[in-house]
Amino acid sequence: MPTPSVPSFVEPADAIDPAHAWAAPIELPAGATALVYCEGQFGAQDGKTANGLVRHSEKYQILGVIDSTHAGADAGMLLDEAPSGIPILSGLDSAIIHLGRVPDYLICGVAPADGLLSEDQRTVLLDGIARGMHIINGLHEFLTDDAEFMAAALLAQVTITDIRRPRDKKDLHLFSGRIFDVTCPRIAILGTDGAIGKRTTATILVRALNERGIHAVLVGTGQTTIIQGGRYGVALDALVPQFCSGEVENQVVAAFEGEDPDVIIVEGQGALSHPAYITSAHILRGSRPAGVIVQHAPGRKVLGDFPMVAMPTVTSEIALIEAFADTRVIGVTVNHENLSTVHLTAAIDEIELDTGLPATDPLTRPLSDLVEMVLQAFPALNPRESTRSAA
């Protein structure tokens, strides 16, 4: 495995030239193979980073997931009942024996609400460093501020990358109004709770639109999208609120200027109604979407990380979004957790009846349903319509 001759502790703030901060990817050492550490959480809400990397990763070749509670299973089968070829392994020792090699990276795939590492998690990451693995950390706890981790990385000649570490405040952006020069439509994927599938729906939608011949670009707003390799994005919950709207605007403008897309899809965070996660407000203000898709989990009765709070209804969330921002909700996407096939069909039918909007489950229903949701709201995006108009 290649290692740098001089250890380089790369963080987003250091790796990006501020003059080009809107587009430059995080620089990482050579090599792209990775293990994802997600002990006890894979497939669950707090394992959303690992879940996302199994479903989609442009930057890393995911060789396995560490979670002893599901050891022996195929990660894709556990998530979506579709084999991915990514094994779930019981620990770091067994993973390396199974793979017959030490992967280049160990990615921390857990995402607890407090964003902090437990002692057991620290031990595993330090073990990875000792074996010569670079660490990718998406938590609020910055490992490059931790003397034990820094000493271990220096000794092993590996890097630690804190994805959520923001750039210096002098390099952050306030809202500027440049969003008014973005002429293509923006669609934000918001939701009724955190860890409900907004990023997954956004990723699937971008892929499906591009396959239809519609140039769609994703702007991420969380650490997982950045780890997956998204070119445009910012970890909003790591920023001082004053800069959140401006940073979203800056990334949307960058995607527009850099890609000349037909449509920009903006990943949501939390929920506008959520008592703790308020970044949806900044996403709405910064991206000024022409349309919003709301992700909802009818099988949830309480908020995922805050069980003392009841889930909002999808109708109440739609009303709140449309009252808060100059936009319209164009459809609802359904998270099928805790629902049988029969109950999922009934939930989709009920949502469509209650809201008058199209609804679908992006993971179990045809992707054409999701694309048609967008084309109904923005018919000019349809390549067939554009060709007909030109003729």
Side-chain angles (χ1 to χ4, degrees), residues 57 59 92 109 149 182 184 187 218 241 269 275 286 319-320 346:
S57 178
K59 190 185 292 289
L92 192 54
F149 273 93
V182 177
C184 72
I187 300 173
L218 175 65
Q269 296 293 323
L320 182 60

Side-chain angles (χ1 to χ4, degrees), residues 51 101 120 130 158 185-186 202 208 227 229 251 286 291 293 309 325 354 360:
N51 303 343
R101 62 186 297 190
D120 288 344
V158 300
R186 284 85 65 200
I227 295 173
Q251 293 296 319
I293 293 173
V309 181
D354 289 346
T360 188

Side-chain angles (χ1 to χ4, degrees), residues 154-202:
L154 181 65
L155 183 64
Q157 294 277 287
V158 300
T159 65
I160 298 172
T161 304
D162 286 321
I163 297 295
R164 262 182 167 135
R165 185 184 288 279
R167 299 190 303 276
D168 291 340
K169 290 184 178 62
K170 64 181 177 59
D171 299 321
L172 296 176
H173 298 82
L174 293 171
F175 183 82
S176 68
R178 291 183 300 152
I179 195 68
F180 300 121
D181 297 325
V182 177
T183 56
C184 72
R186 284 85 65 200
I187 300 173
I189 313 299
L190 303 184
T192 52
D193 193 9
I196 203 169
K198 298 180 289 292
R199 184 196 66 255
T200 298
T201 292

Side-chain angles (χ1 to χ4, degrees), residues 212-301:
R212 183 70 77 91
I214 300 165
H215 185 196
V217 175
L218 175 65
V219 170
T221 54
Q223 76 279 7
T224 301
T225 303
I226 296 171
I227 295 173
Q228 287 175 318
R231 181 167 176 79
Y232 303 97
V234 58
L236 277 185
D237 62 2
L239 297 180
V240 174
Q242 182 177 2
F243 296 103
C244 286
S245 297
E247 283 294 303
V248 172
E249 176 192 46
N250 189 56
Q251 293 296 319
V252 171
V253 170
F256 177 67
E257 294 179 348
E259 307 288 340
D260 189 24
D262 298 318
V263 60
I264 294 172
I265 307 300
V266 184
E267 175 195 9
Q269 296 293 323
L272 190 60
S273 62
H274 203 286
Y277 306 143
I278 63 171
T279 41
S280 288
H282 302 297
I283 291 166
L284 286 166
R285 291 292 191 245
S287 67
R288 297 185 65 87
V292 171
I293 293 173
V294 175
Q295 180 95 3
H296 182 56
R300 288 190 193 181
K301 303 306 179 186

Side-chain angles (χ1 to χ4, degrees), residues 6-357:
V6 177
S8 173
F9 304 102
V10 183
E11 302 157 10
D14 296 335
I16 301 175
D17 177 358
H20 300 91
W22 55 267
I26 295 172
E27 296 176 2
L28 295 168
T33 59
L35 273 173
V36 182
Y37 174 69
C38 194
E39 177 60 32
Q41 297 297 330
F42 186 70
Q45 292 179 41
D46 284 355
K48 64 180 182 180
T49 296
N51 303 343
L53 285 166
V54 166
R55 288 180 171 131
H56 175 77
S57 178
E58 299 176 31
K59 190 185 292 289
Y60 305 102
Q61 178 189 358
I62 306 302
L63 300 183
V65 175
I66 296 173
D67 183 350
S68 63
T69 64
H70 296 295
D74 179 283
M77 284 297 296
L78 192 148
L79 279 181
D80 302 318
E81 298 185 355
S84 64
I86 300 174
I88 303 179
L89 304 157
S90 61
L92 192 54
D93 281 339
S94 60
I96 292 171
I97 292 170
H98 175 86
L99 297 172
R101 62 186 297 190
V102 176
D104 303 314
Y105 291 94
L106 181 58
I107 301 174
C108 184
V110 294
D114 61 9
L116 303 176
L117 285 175
S118 69
E119 285 303 314
D120 288 344
Q121 291 165 345
R122 287 178 62 88
T123 298
V124 173
L125 296 184
L126 287 167
D127 188 14
I129 290 174
R131 295 170 186 269
M133 301 174 74
H134 303 287
I135 300 297
I136 304 297
N137 170 44
L139 300 179
H140 285 299
E141 181 178 1
F142 299 148
L143 302 185
T144 49
D145 289 341
D146 188 299
E148 185 178 14
F149 273 93
M150 289 296 284
L154 181 65
L155 183 64
Q157 294 277 287
V158 300
T159 65
I160 298 172
T161 304
D162 286 321
I163 297 295
R164 262 182 167 135
R165 185 184 288 279
R167 299 190 303 276
D168 291 340
K169 290 184 178 62
K170 64 181 177 59
D171 299 321
L172 296 176
H173 298 82
L174 293 171
F175 183 82
S176 68
R178 291 183 300 152
I179 195 68
F180 300 121
D181 297 325
V182 177
T183 56
C184 72
R186 284 85 65 200
I187 300 173
I189 313 299
L190 303 184
T192 52
D193 193 9
I196 203 169
K198 298 180 289 292
R199 184 196 66 255
T200 298
T201 292
T203 303
I204 290 172
L205 178 56
V206 167
R207 182 174 68 243
L209 288 171
N210 278 290
E211 289 174 354
R212 183 70 77 91
I214 300 165
H215 185 196
V217 175
L218 175 65
V219 170
T221 54
Q223 76 279 7
T224 301
T225 303
I226 296 171
I227 295 173
Q228 287 175 318
R231 181 167 176 79
Y232 303 97
V234 58
L236 277 185
D237 62 2
L239 297 180
V240 174
Q242 182 177 2
F243 296 103
C244 286
S245 297
E247 283 294 303
V248 172
E249 176 192 46
N250 189 56
Q251 293 296 319
V252 171
V253 170
F256 177 67
E257 294 179 348
E259 307 288 340
D260 189 24
D262 298 318
V263 60
I264 294 172
I265 307 300
V266 184
E267 175 195 9
Q269 296 293 323
L272 190 60
S273 62
H274 203 286
Y277 306 143
I278 63 171
T279 41
S280 288
H282 302 297
I283 291 166
L284 286 166
R285 291 292 191 245
S287 67
R288 297 185 65 87
V292 171
I293 293 173
V294 175
Q295 180 95 3
H296 182 56
R300 288 190 193 181
K301 303 306 179 186
V302 296
L303 296 183
D305 287 327
F306 298 85
M308 73 293 293
V309 181
M311 279 284 289
T313 65
V314 69
T315 52
S316 69
E317 196 72 26
I318 290 170
L320 182 60
I321 290 167
E322 293 184 339
F324 181 81
D326 182 14
T327 191
R328 61 184 174 124
V329 174
I330 64 171
V332 177
T333 46
V334 176
N335 180 323
H336 59 259
E337 67 180 43
N338 303 322
L339 298 176
S340 67
T341 301
V342 171
H343 288 142
L344 173 61
T345 298
I348 290 174
D349 290 344
E350 182 178 354
I351 288 169
E352 290 187 333
L353 183 63
D354 289 346
T355 66
L357 297 169

